[in-house]
Structure formats: C-alpha cells, structure tokens
Amino acid sequence: MFVDGVRTPFGRAGEKGMYWGTRADDLVVKAITGLLERNPSLPKDRVDDVAIAATTQQGDQGLTLGRTAAILAGLPMSVPGFAIDRMCAGAMTAVTTTGAGIGFGQYDVVIAGGVEHMGRHPMGLDADPNPRFLTEGLVAGDALNMGNTAERLHDRFPELTKERSDRFGMRSQQKVQAAYEAGHLQPDLVPVAIRSEQGWGLATEDEGRRPGTTMEGLAQLKTPFRPHGRVSAGNASPLTDGATAAILANAKTAKELGLSVKMRMVSFGFAGVEPEVMGIGPIPSTERALKNAGLTIEDIGLFELNEAFAVQVLSFLDHFGIDDEDPRVNPWGGAIAIGHPLAASGVRLMIQLARQFELHPEVRYGLTAMCVGLGQGGSVIWENPHHKHYGKGR
Amino acid sequence: MTDYSKIDFSELTAVSDDEVVTHSYVRDIPLASGKTLALITLDNGRDHTRPSTLGPVTLLELNDRLEELKVRAAAGEIDAVAITGKPYFLAAGADLSKVSEIPSREAALKLGQLGHYVLGKLGDLGVPSFCFINGLALGGGVEIALNCDYRTIDAAAPAVGLPEVFLGIIPGWGGAYLLPNLIGIENALKVIVENPMKNNRMLKAKDAAELGIADVVLAPVNFLEDSIKWADGVLGGKIAVKRPNQPGKLERLAKWDIAIGIAKKAIEGKIGTTAKSPFAALELLKAAKSGTKAEGFAREDEMLADLIAGDQFHASIYAFNLVQKRAKRPAGAPDKSLARKVNKVGIIGAGLMASQFALLFVRRLQVPVVITDLDQARVDKGLAYIRDEIGKLQEKGRVSSDEANRLRALVSGTTDKSDFADCDWVIEAVFEDLAVKQQVFAEVEPFLAETAIIATNTSSLSVEQIGANLAHPERLVGFHFFNPVAIMPLIEIVKTPQTDDATLATAFATAAKLKKNAVLTADAPGFVVNRLLAKVMGEAARAVDEGTPVPVVEQALAPIGLPMGPFELIDLVGWAVAAHVQDTMVREFPERFYSSENLHALSKLGGPVVEKDKHGKVTDLTKEAKKAITVGKSPVDAATILRRVEDELAGEIKLMLDEGVVAAAEDIDLCLILGAGWPFQAGGATPYLDRVGASERAFGDTFHHPKIVGLSA
C-alpha cells in the first residue's frame, strides 16, 4: 500500500538554483521529516527499513543514504536503511524493492524515496565506464549522453517531429501551471529553508517552471545535442535538485496504525532496451507490468509518465495508440516543467497519481512509468482504493 | 526622554573602520497562511570560526533594513518580521575588541544608545517581530531576541547568555530592562548576575526556554522551517504563547525588591563590594520593576557609559583576552611537533593526590595508567578510590557504562617498579621533600626508556635539585597542579636549565589534553602562584604578629576583590602546607619573605583554627588558636596592610620579571586568575597594581605602558 508521499519543491540545478547552498542529504531528510510529521499515527520505531535512492552516490549523496538519512531525520537507531541506484528509476526501484519485501511478508512499514542534487553532483561525475563498452561495441559512445539518445529516438521514429515534442513541452508547462493554480501540487510539498548569499529563504514551489512558454519561443531555442537537432531545453526536463519520500505498508499494518491508503501496488516491471534509445524503455517495462497484473493498456485510466524528454513520452504514447493530448496522460504536467532530479522522480509520479486517484474514483488502475539511462524502463501499476470495485477482484 | 534618532553616531563608526561587518539580509518568506514574513539573516560572511558580532557599522546597516521594513509594514506589504543568524550563530554580541577602543565616556554613552536605537526598533515595527535563535547567542545577540515580540530557539543552540557582568559591564541594549519583565526577577538575576559570576556559565536551549527567554524549543532538523510555521501559527492566532514566568503585579509588589536584596547580600558575601558590574546590574534590575521601556533604556545607557569608562572594564577585557587567547598559546612553549606521544602513564604514589592524577590522566588521555606505592595495601586503596570515582561519574551519567569499563580497565596498580618500563610519562605525587622525591625517581629511572618524560608536581622545591641524580635530567619537567586537581584550570610547567624542548613540548601537549591551561615558568622558588600568595600570607601573618585582630587583617584586602581573605585561603590549602610554603620562601629569600612563628604554632594546633560565617568567610580565630599564638602590641590598620601587600606584590612581580621567571606580566596575571581565582576586574594583579600606584611606589614605573585604566583617568 502506498500510504503517503511528499517531496521537496524541485530546484534548478547549479549555482543560480535555490538549493546551491543546501546539502543533498538534508533535502531527503526534510522530505522524510515532512512525511513523518503528517503521518503522526506512524510510530517511528515501526519503520522497518529506509530505502533512499541516488544516482551519484558520493559526498553528501553517499555513505549509505537510507541509513544516514534515517538517523538525521530522527528515526530511532533501531531503524535500518540502505541506498539504492537505478539511475532515473532509483526512487521507483526503492518502492518496488521494499514493496516486494512487504508483499513477501518481511516488512510491515517502510520509507522509500530518492534524492538527486544535480547541481552538486552533475550527471556522470567521476564515472569511469569500462572501456569494453566501446572496444567491443557494446554501447555506442554517445549513449551515455541522454540528449543524444533522445535525438536518436527522433531518428528512429520520423513521425515524432520537433513540432510534436515542442507542443508536448509547452502543454506540460501549461498543465503544471494550471495544477498550481488549482492547488493540486502544493499540498505535497515540504518547505525547505535555503541559505543563500542574500540570507535565509524558504523554498515553497518548484523553481524551474516556465508558464509563459510559447511555440514561437520554443522554436528559437538551441538544440545543444546536434546542430539543427530536435531536442532542446524546451522539450526536455531540466537539470534539477530535489528529494522525495513515501511510506509503504501492508494493509493490515496500515489499518492497525490508522494510516491512509492512497494506492495499492498491483504489479511492476523493469526491462532493458538498447542504451542508444533508452527512451523507449518504458514500453517493454509497461508490457511486463501489465502482463504481471493480468491487465491490458485499456485498463489504465491515468498515466504518470516521466517526461525525461517529450519525444520519449511520445514514443510510448504512439506505441500504445494514445493521443499526444490524451487527458489521462500527465494531467498536471510533468518533468519538463517540474524538473527531474533523477533518482527522486519515481516517487513524484506516485505522489501525483495518488492525488488524482482521489479526484477520479471512476479510475481503477493507473500507471507510473519512466525511462532509465543505459537503456532501461520501469513501470508500476497501481489500483485506486476509491474505486467502487476496489479489492473485489476484476 | 532620549530621542535616539537625533544622535550622531559617526564618532562610533570612525573607530570601527576595520569592523568585521555582520550584514543584514532580508528575504520575503511566503507563509502557508498566505501572509508574508520578512526574514532578516545576520551573516558576517565568515565561516564558523568567526561568529557574527555587532559593531557600529553592523548596527547601522541593520537599522536601515529595519527602517525599510517599518515602511513596508505600514504599507501592508509584510505581516511580520523575523531575525535569525548564519548557521550555528545568532550573534556573539558586541565586538569587544572595539568596545575597549572607545575613546571617551561620551562615545561609550553613544554605544549604548546606538544599540537601543536599532534593537529597540524590533519592538516597534508595526507588525509582530520574531527572533529565531538558531545557534549561539551571547550579550547583544540575546538582546536582539529580547527586543523581539516572540522567540523560538534551536534545541542544539550551544550557549545562550548575558556575560556582560563577567566582563565588567551590564546588558545595555535592553537586556537589563527587558529580561526581568519577560522572565521574572529571580530568573533574570540568575541569567544577568549569578551565571556570569559562576565562571560565566551559559544556558542550554532547554534552560533558556524553561526560564522563559524563548517561547518554544524546536528540533534542529527543521528549525527554520518549523520556526516559520510557528510564527505563522502565532500570527493566525492558532498558537497561543504562554509566558508563565512573566512577572505580574504580585511579583512586582511582593517579590521583586526582596529578590534584589537577597542577591545583593549573596554577592557581598561571596566577593565583597569591590566589583562594580554586579551591583550596577542589580541597580538596573531593581529599577526595571516599574517605569517605561524608554526609561529603562536610558538608565542602561548611562550605566553602560559609566562602566565602559571605568578601570574595571578595561582590566576585565585584558583578563578576558589573557584567558581566551594567551592561555591557548602559552608564551615560550616549544613547537608542538616536538611533543612525544604519551601512550602510557606511570604515577608514583597512590595517595589522594596521586589517585586524583590517575583519574584525570585516564579520563583525558584514555591510555593505561599505572600507580605504585610502597606496599600493596596502599596501592589497593588508591585503586579502590579511582574505581569508586569512575563509578560516581557513571552514576551521574558523565560516562557511559562502556566508557566506565574502559577507564577501569586502563587503571592498574603495582609495587613492582619494572611495570613502569613502557610508560611514556611518569609523574610523582609523593611527600613534598627533596630527598624523598630524589629517591623515588632514582628507583624508577633505571626501568624507563631514555625518552620517557619524568614530571614532578612539586609546589615549592627546586625541580633541578629533584633531578640532580637522574641519569637523564633533560627529560625532567615541573608539572605543578592546583587543588582541587579536577577543577583548577592551571598547570605551572617548570623548565630547569637542563629540560629539553621535546620534554617541554610533551608537557604542554599533555596539559592541553588534560584540558588545563599551562604557563611556562623558570625553576624559581614557589614558581608564580605560591610565591605571590606567600607574599600575601606573609603580610597577613606579619600584621597579626604585630597585634592586629584577625578580622581586620581578613578584611584589609577587600579593595582588591580577591576571592577569599588570607586566612580563608590558608585554611583552604591547609595550615601545614601554608607554613611549609612560607618556610621554603623564607629559606630562599630571607630578606623578602616574612617568617611567622605564630603560623607554625597554628599549623600544629590540630583542631579548627578559624571561625567561619555561613558564606564560609573567616570571622576570627578560634579560642584555641588565639591561645596558641603570641602577638605584639602595635596593631596596624587595614589601609596599612593593603598598602604593604600592594607594594610587596608590585616589587616581587617586578623582580620575577627581571629574573625571567615568566615571559611577561601577562603570564603572572594569567597564573593568578587561573591558579588563585584573582578577579577579572583587577586584571589579575598587574593592572590593579599599576592603577593604585603600587608599581610607581615599588619601582618607579608601571607594568603596562600605557596603564590599563578607564577613560576618565
């Protein structure tokens, strides 16, 4: 059971970003404390494990984050923790791994989440890829550059035009802004005190949003990965700092402790694809998750797809025959506007799906899915507890 | 009423051109309720080794920000103002190095007025004000908080306090008026007067909140976020702030003056009436019972100006700098890198002093400590004492059970000197007799490595003579503790002509590990503290011998403000010890030190020698003691005794400096402050001796150039 999830506001990575003076581990600690604070009926010593993901596990993102964050967040020393890494699907994997542990009866309650401070830990920093990747032709040289893999998707699927990507990017900005105005996103944000040269401030909203985005403006943007390419800052997720955390529990314990149940995990799937086109990863992973659940794509009423790149989401939609502007897909926008702090994003998708389940009791199943660097996809299918047939079989 | 806005403060900024400015940054914080809070951050741009301080330029910048916020508050742009600090610090108060450079009373007056002018605005912004005490807050830092309407405090804030009285001044930026009116007179007395006089004791966050200085303690993990949320709750009326310690009518009528009276008597009983700042603080606290804030601020302005202009404040700052700075970098200590590792300690002796050494060494160095004595029974008794003391530490929660086990396992006893073979440091604590000390070292040395350090705790013997028979006298050093060993912060490290630098460096490193302050002295009789105390005791004995009543003698030195009268001191160290020290000094310097037969007679009395009052002050000799002594018929008055002591001290200190006993007068003062509790307001001894003219009388000059005196002189 997905009991609850919160996140920090997401900040723009880099010196000008609001979290430049804030440590990565502090970000995830704020997420965990915010989560515990709004679930006061969960005794802290009942947490059986803390799984925190980060892609670049070094410095203030190293040292077995789940354990260190648990201590820093004031959980009792008896609560264990560990760090987890599946690049962009880190937090998602933290959820599926510990969720599976719950399903197997080994945990009652866990905390799963992720953090990525891409300002302090740029992608691939200090990475030392094995030369065999290249010498044996295992992976193309540019496959480690995510922008290039997105350009490659445009190559593979010529019908995915720059114009479609830009429009999707613009819609994402508009939908996020509309969601902000409706107050859908703010309730799950934990404010974070931020230190800057101008003194202390308080982060209360996602920093990277550009609600004024227009198609004309997008057309002017540079395509940094190729001259006259198609991938730009306007149709890709920005480099982002942020953290997420969620409480998972089995049904019995949730009931015993009076915890809310916002979603039920039905199935999950991970799959690998060629690293050069990592963006299509969610297609096979979703097929696997559907198969595990005994469902078809028609059963999914809401989609929270991570917008690493617009083209990569569009490839998914085309594959499953879903319209670019289908209202079931990312109704409150996505990572292009909100940001994508790699290993933190999986739980953000879940937080937003959980909110939408509340508003859409007619929807029984939802999907969270994302592509992963080095050619992977991850998908989790969730059931809506507000649906009339919830818990009654198909 | 003082109109602060009409005062020209440029005189203050002129002497503050090298101030490390603490900037005031303002950012608007959107509150969950939709309101806006303007958050001021105090940040001097330095790292955690340089706390933010509050100089004139800092205050004027803060003033500008507060003026702007007042305008914005009036325009409805902001709903509240909060002030906090850079990580770990709110503010460490006024920049004291600057305060002591103030040129005149007039400028000193302006310093108080500037603080009131600026900090007072925090209580007059037109919107509620909050202080988020995020870390260390001292002096003016606390007064920033007190001038706000509400306060939160970080549970990890390491120290909160108003140390002004400790430094010879008073909380003069609102503290003396605001604090008693916030937390009640008794609590305010504790914070403003009692704690500073208890060696400048500070409050932890929890204590500060219990006293009522802060309205709520918040956990460090989300301190600022939670403070902002709390402020929002207060603004919206969802959080009602309760202040049970705030004084009501009854307290003002029935309790206030009585509490002041009790405190006054306690101070007089403890340190006499010489020190000005505690009494100045009492006067302000008494007056804070009634009247307006503006009146309270004006009283603080005048009092602060008087004290800053006075001698005692300048001597206090001198003393403070000695303790804070010079004590941490002892003059004459060799390069630290020469120090040898001390991985095992041997202690010769198993008596009380030896056992106290063992306890201190094992706790601080956490290495094996072996004690030895003549027979197993004495050794066992010493070990039992040490283990018992470790048990007490455990009971008090000072050490965990694991730690207590570790310490107990590290201490062992032996009668076999060969067990000292692998000791890196051997110290003796045997009877104060040259032959005995020579003998115990002669027994141990053959077993020791050539590089092992040998230390003696002698208080009056020649260290060089103690080592006369050593094969390697270059590794012998004097290491003179003061009683009680666990508490007194001074060690006199004594260098003989043979002591080598490695030995000396190891002695300084060891003293630092024991958390003691060390002062280097030459191998001269009585070193520093005992030599000068012998002077004081000798003059006291001389006056009694002449027929002066003990009560007169005991009170004669009150104007110096010593922690205890001469006979109270003798009674504390023990009459036999005092007589022994006196003998040593007389033997070495018969022409300058006074030998008293009566002192010897009293040391052999057996029973109590003096009568004491409830404060522990000596009121007179006992009947038995009076019978045991023979006195003359030419009593002297208190002024004569005082003058004799002053002149003798000045002359002796000058001789010591000429002989090179220590590097400078500062080291004499440091020894007297740390080893004998001599007062800050006297600067130890030499600033006092300069300012009363004793130095001029004794040797026609002063110790300090210019003299350390107030602005009026």
Side-chain angles (χ1 to χ4, degrees), chain B residues 25-285:
Chain B
Y25 300 103
V26 179
R27 286 183 70 168
D28 283 3
I29 305 291
L31 301 178
S33 63
K35 297 189 178 77
T36 299
L37 175 144
L39 178 61
I40 304 170
T41 304
L42 298 172
D43 191 340
N44 66 356
R46 306 292 184 92
D47 68 9
H48 65 279
T49 60
R50 183 70 165 81
S52 299
T53 47
L54 307 170
V57 180
T58 297
L59 287 172
L60 288 169
E61 181 183 321
L62 176 59
N63 187 60
D64 291 346
R65 298 293 88 76
L66 292 172
E67 287 288 350
E68 289 158 15
L69 291 173
K70 208 169 168 175
V71 171
R72 293 186 63 204
E77 287 175 30
I78 53 173
D79 304 284
V81 170
I83 187 164
T84 191
K86 71 175 184 178
Y88 312 115
F89 301 98
L90 176 61
D95 186 344
L96 287 172
S97 63
K98 294 280 154 248
V99 176
S100 58
E101 283 170 21
I102 284 178
S104 63
R105 187 190 182 279
E106 196 195 357
L109 181 68
K110 286 185 183 177
L111 185 77
Q113 291 171 329
L114 177 59
H116 284 129
Y117 174 48
V118 179
L119 303 193
K121 286 208 170 81
L122 287 164
D124 184 30
L125 290 166
V127 291
S129 60
F130 297 81
C131 184
F132 303 150
I133 307 170
N134 63 312
L136 180 111
L138 301 177
V142 170
E143 287 170 309
I144 286 177
L146 293 174
N147 275 283
C148 291
D149 298 322
Y150 303 95
R151 287 150 293 274
T152 67
I153 190 165
D154 188 322
V160 173
L162 290 168
E164 285 85 353
V165 165
F166 176 71
L167 296 167
I169 49 176
I170 47 94
W173 288 349
Y177 176 82
L178 295 169
L179 192 66
N181 282 298
L182 179 69
I183 67 172
I185 187 62
E186 284 175 345
N187 287 336
L189 281 165
K190 182 174 179 177
V191 177
I192 292 177
V193 183
E194 285 171 35
N195 283 348
M197 290 177 61
K198 284 179 184 161
N199 209 12
N200 204 17
R201 183 181 289 188
M202 300 289 168
L203 301 169
K204 298 278 179 213
K206 192 169 142 277
D207 309 325
E210 274 170 14
L211 288 172
I213 294 175
D215 295 312
V216 62
V217 185
L218 297 170
V221 60
N222 287 326
F223 173 71
L224 204 51
E225 293 91 338
D226 290 347
S227 289
I228 291 167
K229 200 192 284 182
W230 187 86
D232 201 9
V234 171
L235 291 173
K238 284 181 193 148
I239 293 171
V241 178
K242 292 195 185 84
R243 289 178 180 155
N245 295 340
Q246 201 158 23
K249 251 189 190 161
L250 194 64
E251 174 167 343
R252 289 175 201 279
L253 281 173
K255 227 161 110 185
W256 202 284
D257 292 349
I258 295 170
I260 296 281
I262 292 170
K264 195 168 179 194
K265 283 218 177 68
I267 297 166
E268 286 170 357
K270 200 174 161 205
I271 63 159
T273 56
T274 303
K276 287 182 177 157
S277 61
F279 298 99
L282 287 183
E283 199 181 318
L284 291 174
L285 286 167

Side-chain angles (χ1 to χ4, degrees), chain B residues 292-433:
Chain B
T292 65
K293 183 162 93 172
E295 288 162 359
F297 283 9
R299 282 192 298 269
E300 290 176 5
D301 288 336
E302 293 296 330
M303 192 68 90
L304 186 63
D306 286 347
L307 290 170
I308 289 177
D311 290 337
Q312 293 192 350
F313 169 67
H314 292 265
S316 295
I317 292 297
Y318 163 83
F320 182 70
N321 283 330
L322 291 185
V323 171
Q324 289 293 312
K325 294 180 183 156
R326 193 174 181 95
K328 301 206 162 66
R329 283 180 292 278
D335 191 337
K336 282 180 187 165
S337 64
L338 296 173
R340 297 198 186 110
K341 280 216 162 72
V342 175
N343 288 332
K344 186 174 175 186
V345 171
I347 293 171
I348 306 174
L352 183 61
M353 179 67 101
S355 302
Q356 288 175 352
F357 284 179
L359 192 63
L360 183 67
F361 276 93
V362 76
R363 273 195 81 192
R364 297 289 181 226
L365 268 52
Q366 303 198 309
V367 298
V369 172
V370 54
I371 63 171
T372 184
D373 213 318
L374 298 173
D375 55 57
Q376 193 62 41
R378 290 175 206 224
V379 170
D380 289 344
K381 194 176 164 208
L383 286 176
Y385 168 85
I386 296 163
R387 286 173 185 154
D388 198 35
E389 289 297 312
I390 293 170
K392 285 184 196 163
L393 290 171
Q394 191 181 343
E395 277 168 29
K396 284 185 214 157
R398 303 274 289 278
V399 296
S400 67
S401 66
D402 290 350
E403 189 65 15
N405 285 344
R406 176 182 177 178
L407 296 180
R408 274 190 282 260
L410 284 171
V411 179
S412 61
T414 183
T415 54
D416 179 358
K417 302 287 190 293
S418 68
D419 287 343
F420 276 38
D422 53 350
C423 286
D424 306 302
W425 175 282
V426 174
I427 185 166
E428 63 77 22
V430 297
F431 187 64
E432 186 76 354
D433 179 276

Side-chain angles (χ1 to χ4, degrees), chain B residues 506-687:
Chain B
T506 310
F508 277 100
T510 302
K513 277 192 185 156
L514 297 173
K515 297 194 180 172
K516 301 291 183 192
N517 297 123
V519 173
L520 179 65
T521 88
D523 189 17
F527 315 125
V528 174
V529 175
N530 281 347
R531 181 163 169 178
L532 294 173
L533 291 184
K535 268 284 171 201
V536 176
M537 294 177 196
E539 290 309 318
R542 189 199 305 273
V544 171
D545 289 358
E546 287 167 348
T548 316
V550 163
V552 173
V553 181
E554 191 68 3
Q555 287 303 315
L557 306 183
I560 311 178
L562 297 182
M564 49 186 84
F567 293 106
E568 187 185 347
L569 176 66
I570 294 173
D571 199 58
L572 180 80
V573 302
W575 292 82
V577 174
H580 181 81
V581 170
Q582 204 67 26
D583 285 348
T584 309
M585 299 312 299
V586 171
R587 190 170 62 238
E588 299 288 339
F589 305 120
E591 73 287 4
R592 294 206 316 279
F593 280 79
Y594 181 74
S595 176
S596 167
E597 278 310 310
N598 284 331
L599 192 57
H600 285 92
L602 291 174
S603 73
K604 288 171 190 140
L605 197 62
V609 182
V610 289
E611 310 273 4
K612 290 183 179 176
D613 69 10
K614 62 176 178 177
H615 296 294
K617 297 288 167 197
V618 169
T619 51
D620 206 344
L621 294 176
T622 58
K623 277 181 191 163
E624 296 74 26
K626 282 181 184 168
K627 278 182 204 155
I629 60 172
T630 318
V631 298
K633 290 193 172 124
S634 46
V636 291
D637 62 5
T640 306
I641 300 170
L642 175 65
R643 193 171 167 113
R644 282 180 187 169
V645 167
E646 289 171 354
D647 292 1
E648 287 295 318
L649 282 175
E652 195 66 25
I653 292 171
K654 180 70 167 65
L655 268 175
M656 290 164 78
L657 294 174
D658 291 346
E659 290 168 7
V661 174
V662 290
E666 282 80 358
D667 293 319
I668 302 271
D669 294 323
L670 198 48
C671 284
L672 290 172
I673 292 165
L674 297 175
W678 284 34
F680 267 35
Q681 51 80 8
T686 63

